[in-house]
Amino acid sequence: MKALVKTKDEPGLWFRDEPVPMIADDEVLIRVNKTGICGTDSHIYVWDEWARKTVPVPMVVGHEYAGEIVELGSATKGLHLGQRVSGEGHVIGMQSRAARGGRFHLDPQTRGIGVNIPGAFAEYVKIPAFNVVPLPDEIDDEIGAILDPLGNAVHTALSFDLIGEDVLITGAGPIGIMGAAVARHVGARHVVVTDINPTRLALAGEVADVVPVNVSMEDLASVKARLGIKEGFDVGLEMSGAPAAFEQMTEHLVMGGKIAMLGIPSRPSTVDWTRLVFKMLTVKGIYGREMFETWHKMLAMLQTGLDIRKVITHRLSVGDYVQGFEIMKSGNCGKVVLDWTR
Ligand code: NAD
Ligand code: ZN
């Protein structure tokens, strides 16, 4: 089968002919129709320090996909051939106390599809039946292909009660923008999204009814004054990984404010802990999606009016993947979706 593989210890990805994965009794084989390029795939493409440390070579990359089941392991139940599916990209060990207690997303033995084990940028991918997420008819393949990052956004946004709250989202990348759409959907009052990239801020405004703020040009104090937010934002969703954004967030949150932190700083950074202490802030780290509560809520919201389609700015045939990765590198895009059927 055709697959996009990190075949060499250097920047780039290459098509390679790979054997179709052999499935075990508890696994399914999925024919991939569409895939999303994730920031993680970008890191692997440019082969930065994190990628070189983390990803063994060779590796079929990719973990954002939608497709259909073409083979079922003998021990699988409740799934059928031809079923349209996506899947949770974290494959867990099931041995830990957390997993055995049903808190699957807290399993320390998590391995990532397309990072630690063969991924979905291929004509076929195998995953444990446990990880399969069937797609309702009204959720098409391109939305199915970005459920993984939408799930990051949903997990982050639903970490704290947002109804009637003023929400600050730092980072208008695809996940920050989708997080903003979720905050709006569930009934936040003001949703302010910051970035330093005007293209992304414009996109945020197109996807959801939010207040985009370019923090390289406008101060959040004046934004609060403009919106009539007297004390500060009630909840912060950190979606940039930028230490400066985190500092700004703690500065502009209310006393007792809450932060859900998805963004991954590229290196250790300094935090003003006194501010966290004296403002009695809560910070919750977010990794991946809750299995499978996040998936349930995300599908339900998509079925009841959550619309994030405009976050997909580029649709390319997989043959044009280099262009897709270059667009990702430029930062002037939302989600880039690759079509494996043409
Ligand atoms: P992205 O890199 O596309 O977006 C980050 C955005 O932050 C960019 O638009 C950038 O311009 C902006 N930014 C930079 N400095 C800023 C500042 N000072 N203030 C405000 N914005 C600033 O990333 P993404 O794909 O949308 O993902 C969001 C973050 O979440 C990234 O840090 C990513 O690594 C991380 N992530 C975490 C998980 C997890 O499970 N924890 C999963 C996926 C992604
Ligand atoms: Zn991803």
Side-chain angles (χ1 to χ4, degrees):
M1 65 171 185
K2 186 163 75 174
L4 275 176
V5 188
K6 187 64 143 182
T7 56
K8 291 177 272 186
D9 182 8
E10 59 184 73
L13 283 174
W14 301 272
F15 273 127
R16 191 165 93 165
D17 196 32
E18 291 284 314
V20 174
M22 302 268 287
I23 58 166
D25 292 350
D26 60 350
E27 292 177 328
V28 304
L29 188 68
I30 297 166
R31 194 182 68 220
V32 174
N33 289 335
K34 293 199 175 158
T35 58
I37 303 182
C38 180
T40 303
D41 305 320
S42 247
H43 288 293
I44 299 173
Y45 184 83
V46 302
W47 209 225
D48 64 10
E49 194 187 327
W50 169 84
R52 287 197 304 270
K53 266 197 324 224
T54 313
V55 181
V57 174
M59 176 61 70
V60 179
V61 302
H63 57 270
E64 303 181 358
Y65 62 95
E68 59 195 81
I69 296 179
V70 291
E71 198 183 338
L72 287 163
S74 58
T76 62
K77 291 196 187 107
L79 300 169
H80 59 83
L81 294 177
Q83 191 165 16
R84 295 182 52 254
V85 298
S86 182
E88 169 55 53
H90 287 179
V91 175
I92 61 174
M94 290 290 191
Q95 303 295 317
S96 67
R97 174 181 171 189
R100 287 171 65 82
R103 300 181 305 280
F104 301 120
H105 66 292
L106 299 179
D107 188 346
Q109 285 163 343
T110 296
R111 291 169 304 154
I113 290 175
V115 177
N116 315 107
I117 52 177
F121 284 3
E123 286 176 286
Y124 299 94
V125 61
K126 72 166 183 178
I127 61 170
F130 177 78
N131 286 53
V132 170
V133 176
L135 293 176
D137 290 344
E138 60 270 40
I139 295 179
D140 60 23
D141 284 346
E142 70 171 19
I143 299 295
I146 62 166
L147 292 179
D148 172 296
L150 175 59
N152 293 139
V154 168
H155 186 184
T156 314
L158 299 189
S159 285
F160 300 109
D161 179 11
L162 298 187
I163 301 169
E165 304 291 344
D166 296 330
V167 180
L168 172 64
I169 301 178
T170 45
I175 303 182
I177 293 176
M178 291 191 283
V182 173
R184 173 56 65 231
H185 183 79
V186 302
R189 184 169 66 168
H190 297 299
V191 180
V192 170
V193 184
T194 69
D195 206 295
I196 47 176
N197 174 336
T199 308
R200 289 203 147 169
L201 287 165
L203 183 62
E206 279 169 40
V207 174
D209 172 22
V210 296
V211 180
V213 174
N214 189 333
V215 282
S216 61
M217 291 159 70
E218 194 177 6
D219 184 354
L220 279 177
S222 63
V223 174
K224 286 194 292 189
R226 173 153 63 87
L227 297 175
I229 299 175
K230 287 206 188 74
E231 290 162 17
F233 296 92
D234 304 295
V235 179
L237 311 179
E238 207 307 291
M239 307 284 211
S240 73
F246 184 79
E247 283 306 309
Q248 215 162 32
M249 183 170 272
T250 60
E251 182 185 347
H252 291 285
L253 244 59
V254 289
M255 296 276 290
K258 300 180 179 73
I259 298 176
M261 185 156 178
L262 182 91
I264 304 172
S266 56
R267 59 187 67 83
S269 58
T270 321
V271 169
D272 181 354
W273 292 107
T274 46
R275 190 188 278 152
L276 266 86
V277 171
F278 288 121
K279 287 181 92 168
M280 292 176 277
L281 303 180
T282 300
V283 181
K284 181 186 177 201
I286 308 287
Y287 179 45
R289 299 140 297 276
E290 282 192 17
M291 292 173 225
F292 286 83
E293 206 48 23
T294 300
W295 290 88
H296 174 85
K297 300 248 188 206
M298 144 167 87
L299 295 175
M301 286 190 285
L302 288 169
Q303 288 175 307
T304 54
L306 174 66
D307 183 1
I308 42 93
R309 192 177 301 277
K310 285 187 189 151
V311 83
I312 302 174
T313 51
H314 296 80
R315 297 167 174 84
L316 301 170
S317 160
V318 67
D320 298 324
Y321 74 94
V322 172
Q323 191 190 340
F325 277 92
E326 292 303 321
I327 292 166
M328 286 289 289
K329 259 204 282 187
S330 79
N332 292 325
C333 60
K335 288 302 293 182
V336 177
V337 171
L338 301 176
D339 189 338
W340 285 75
T341 63
R342 63 183 176 94

